[in-house]
């Protein structure tokens, strides 16, 4: 019995005034005991699985089972475990990376873990494991070069990660974790207004000795708890930056939305924790402070004044054709034209910066444009 089921039953009883108080009180007392026992069990499970995960065990199967149990415990309840026994996304990434010398596949209602060599024994040589997927109907499944097309064309696909086949020819182990419900990790990034919109995919590839090897992973995300995309949001394909502890889009493409399958697809050139995140769409002026607006206004006035001078000069030339331009009158115009071109360039660059999604690179880009100005 899940904790939310017990909570729901308690709430229903309290609201039902038709229940005789003589029956109601013992039942509430019994359910309260069950709830307390469930909470204690969940906390004990979280603490025990955390202990196994952090024990530096070299047995990948034991660690993978403990990680799967930990994710199930924190997902299927609203219990907050001891903060000292809580795994961050960064730590989960490290755990997945250390699962070696084993073949593991664990599928639960909360997550799917697979640790596989791309080329497996006792299987045809032309079958290569490419990644993993989670389907709303069938659960977790390994993706190989034989079933790839069927999996990605399935409308029930919740999330998937598929790596380029050329790279996997030199890989010894492909480790993937898909966390189906991202709710426990909604606050992994507290420094921005980026919000998780999909399942989490953690990928680690072992045995790549070539530093110049081309890394490419294709990701598929269905919106979590949403029937369709919202036009008032901007969706981005992001990875969890373990240095800044924020969601970052560097190295990932802009996601494309498949109308027929109702999911997003993108690609990245590195391996770590991935997810689809969203940002509220904002108007251009929301990125500008009063100083920025004043700067753009005065620059625009300067451009308009220069254009008026040119138009006035052209009319004067037409009206008085004998009054030709002299060198000393052309120099100020050339100087003004150069300044205007720089103004236009600066405004275009600034507008490009401001209309991009807020990120750690925006400040550096705007500083560069200011220096150029």
């Amino acid at each position: 019995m899940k904790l939310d089921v017990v909570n729901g039953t308690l709430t229903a009883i309290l609201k039902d005034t038709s229940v005789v108080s003589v029956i109601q009180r013992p039942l509430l007392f019994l359910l309260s005991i069950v709830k307390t026992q469930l909470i204690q069990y969940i906390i004990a499970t979280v603490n025990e699985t955390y202990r196994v995960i952090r024990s530096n065990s070299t047995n990948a199967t034991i660690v993978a089972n403990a990680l799967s149990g930990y994710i199930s415990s924190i997902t299927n309840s609203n219990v907050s475990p001891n903060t000292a026994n809580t795994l961050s996304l960064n730590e989960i990434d490290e755990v997945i990376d250390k699962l070696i010398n084993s073949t593991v596949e664990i599928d639960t209602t909360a997550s799917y873990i697979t640790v596989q060599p791309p080329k497996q024994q006792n299987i045809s040589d032309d079958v290569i494991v490419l990644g993993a997927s989670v389907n709303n109907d069938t659960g977790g499944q390994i993706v190989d070069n034989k079933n790839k097309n069927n999996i990605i064309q399935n409308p029930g696909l919740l999330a998937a990660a598929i790596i380029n086949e050329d790279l996997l020819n030199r890989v010894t182990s492909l480790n993937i974790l898909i966390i189906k419900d991202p709710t426990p990790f909604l606050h992994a990034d507290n420094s921005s207004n980026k919000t998780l919109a999909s399942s989490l995919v953690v990928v680690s590839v072992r045995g790549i000795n070539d530093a110049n090897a081309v890394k490419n992973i294709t990701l598929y995300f269905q919106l979590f708890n949403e029937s369709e995309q919202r036009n008032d949001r901007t969706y981005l394909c992001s990875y969890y930056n373990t240095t800044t502890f924020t969601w970052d889009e560097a190295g990932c493409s802009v996601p494309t939305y498949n109308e027929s399958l109702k999911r997003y697809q993108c690609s990245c050139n590195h391996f770590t924790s991935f997810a689809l995140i969203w940002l509220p769409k904002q108007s251009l002026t929301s990125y500008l402070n009063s100083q920025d607006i004043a700067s753009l206004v005065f620059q625009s006035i300067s451009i308009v004044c220069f254009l008026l001078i040119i138009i006035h000069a052209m009319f004067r030339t037409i009206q008085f054709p004998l009054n030709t331009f002299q060198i000393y009158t052309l120099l100020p115009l050339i100087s003004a034209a150069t300044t205007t071109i720089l103004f236009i360039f600066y405004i275009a660059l600034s507008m490009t910066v401001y209309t991009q999604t807020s990120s750690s690179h925006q400040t550096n880009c705007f500083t560069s444009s200011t220096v150029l100005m």
Side-chain angles (χ1 to χ4, degrees), residues 191-360:
S191 60
S192 70
N193 58 346
K194 296 177 180 178
T195 305
L196 277 171
S198 71
S199 300
L200 286 165
V201 178
V202 183
V203 180
S204 175
V205 175
R206 306 280 299 188
I208 302 177
N209 297 320
D210 185 4
N212 297 321
V214 178
K215 301 176 182 179
N216 184 67
I217 179 170
T218 303
L219 300 162
Y220 300 86
F221 294 112
Q222 187 181 92
L223 295 178
F224 182 74
N225 274 346
E226 293 184 34
S227 59
E228 59 184 16
Q229 67 168 352
R230 291 174 51 173
N231 294 327
D232 61 340
R233 295 178 176 180
T234 299
Y235 293 92
L236 301 170
C237 185
S238 305
Y239 77 96
Y240 190 69
N241 190 319
T242 56
T243 302
T244 61
F245 304 107
T246 59
W247 290 108
D248 197 328
E249 292 72 58
C252 295
S253 65
V254 176
T256 56
Y257 185 69
N258 188 314
E259 290 284 352
S260 59
L261 297 176
K262 296 189 180 302
R263 65 165 181 256
Y264 284 90
Q265 176 181 341
C266 61
S267 61
C268 298
N269 59 10
H270 49 81
F271 305 128
T272 181
S273 302
F274 302 97
L276 189 74
I277 63 101
W278 66 267
L279 282 167
K281 287 185 177 179
Q282 297 178 319
S283 61
L284 175 61
T285 55
S286 63
Y287 293 101
L288 306 177
N289 56 36
S290 57
Q291 183 179 359
D292 298 325
I293 295 175
S295 176
L296 293 175
V297 169
F298 284 115
Q299 291 170 23
S300 301
I301 292 174
S302 298
I303 294 174
V304 171
C305 290
F306 172 74
L307 293 176
L308 290 176
I309 292 173
I310 294 296
I311 294 172
H312 174 73
M314 292 177 62
F315 274 110
R316 292 286 296 176
T317 302
I318 296 173
Q319 187 176 3
F320 304 102
L322 297 180
N323 295 339
T324 58
F325 283 112
Q326 303 297 323
I327 294 178
Y328 67 86
T329 58
L330 288 176
L331 289 177
L333 290 176
I334 294 174
S335 176
T338 305
T339 303
T340 300
I341 292 172
L342 290 176
F343 274 149
I344 294 173
F345 171 77
Y346 176 71
I347 291 176
L349 184 59
S350 299
M351 299 292 278
T352 302
V353 172
Y354 285 127
T355 54
Q356 298 302 312
T357 301
S358 179
S359 69
S360 59

Side-chain angles (χ1 to χ4, degrees), residues 158-174:
L158 181 65
I162 301 176
I163 299 172
N164 56 309
E165 187 172 337
D166 294 338
L167 177 67
L168 293 174
N169 289 324
R170 293 168 285 179
V171 168
T172 57
S173 181
L174 175 58

Side-chain angles (χ1 to χ4, degrees), residues 116-178:
Q116 306 283 337
K119 292 186 177 180
Q120 303 180 18
Q121 296 179 353
N122 304 323
I123 297 181
S124 176
D125 291 337
D126 61 345
V127 176
I128 300 177
V129 175
L130 304 177
S133 67
V134 167
N135 191 288
N136 285 318
D137 302 319
T138 59
Q141 184 178 2
I142 293 173
V143 180
D144 58 44
N145 55 340
K146 300 298 182 181
N147 65 9
K148 171 185 172 182
N149 291 332
N150 291 333
I151 288 177
I152 63 177
Q153 292 302 320
N154 192 316
L157 185 66
L158 181 65
I162 301 176
I163 299 172
N164 56 309
E165 187 172 337
D166 294 338
L167 177 67
L168 293 174
N169 289 324
R170 293 168 285 179
V171 168
T172 57
S173 181
L174 175 58
N175 308 348
I176 298 178
L177 162 66
I178 300 178

Side-chain angles (χ1 to χ4, degrees), residues 1-15 28 31-36 38-39 42 76-79:
M1 183 182 292
K2 292 184 180 180
L3 184 60
D4 53 357
V5 176
V6 176
N7 288 330
T9 305
L10 283 169
T11 303
I13 292 175
L14 290 172
K15 288 183 177 180
L28 284 174
L31 286 173
S32 297
I33 293 176
V34 173
K35 178 179 179 180
T36 301
L38 278 174
I39 292 174
I42 291 170
N76 295 327
S77 71
N78 56 1
V79 175

